[in-house]
Amino acid sequence: MNTWIRQAHRWLSIVFTVTVIANFIVLGLNERPLWIVYAPLLPLFLLLFSGLYMFALPYAAQWRGRRRADART
Ligand code: HEM
């Protein structure tokens, strides 16, 4: 599950980067397709949640570890 989230985060970061580059390309055009302008938002949103999940992992492990140690004493 953790490696799955990490892989998803890694690939989402590539998708996000591509959509941002597409935005810079589209800046040079007279007409900017709205779907390209908003395209980075979905991967960024998913990056936020997978990133926050990974951020919380070490703290969750610490918390679980301490609780198990408490039960032993
Ligand atoms: C939006 C909020 C984001 C949060 C909260 C977040 C958080 C995190 C966290 C906690 C990690 C794991 C660090 C560790 O090893 O302990 C990580 C890894 C990473 N993040 Fe993000 N991130 C966010 C957005 C992004 C964006 C926008 C990009 C790039 C476009 C990105 C690219 C990466 C990459 C490449 C890794 C390494 C993945 C791996 O080790 O396989 N992240 N991020």
Side-chain angles (χ1 to χ4, degrees):
M1 175 68 171
N2 294 347
T3 41
W4 186 84
I5 297 274
R6 189 172 284 274
Q7 290 290 334
H9 192 79
R10 191 182 292 170
W11 283 105
L12 279 168
S13 74
I14 302 295
V15 174
F16 174 71
T17 307
V18 169
T19 57
V20 170
I21 290 169
N23 261 280
F24 277 108
I25 292 169
V26 128
L27 273 183
L29 307 177
N30 295 329
E31 205 179 327
R32 289 161 206 144
L34 260 193
W35 71 269
I36 290 188
V37 173
Y38 289 116
L41 290 181
L42 179 65
L44 183 60
F45 206 64
L46 298 173
L47 274 168
L48 177 65
F49 287 110
S50 54
L52 287 176
Y53 177 83
M54 283 196 290
F55 180 84
L57 276 180
Y59 301 103
Q62 231 172 49
W63 180 73
R64 278 198 298 262
R66 190 167 329 123
R67 213 175 38 160
R68 210 166 301 134
D70 286 349
R72 242 179 271 132
T73 56

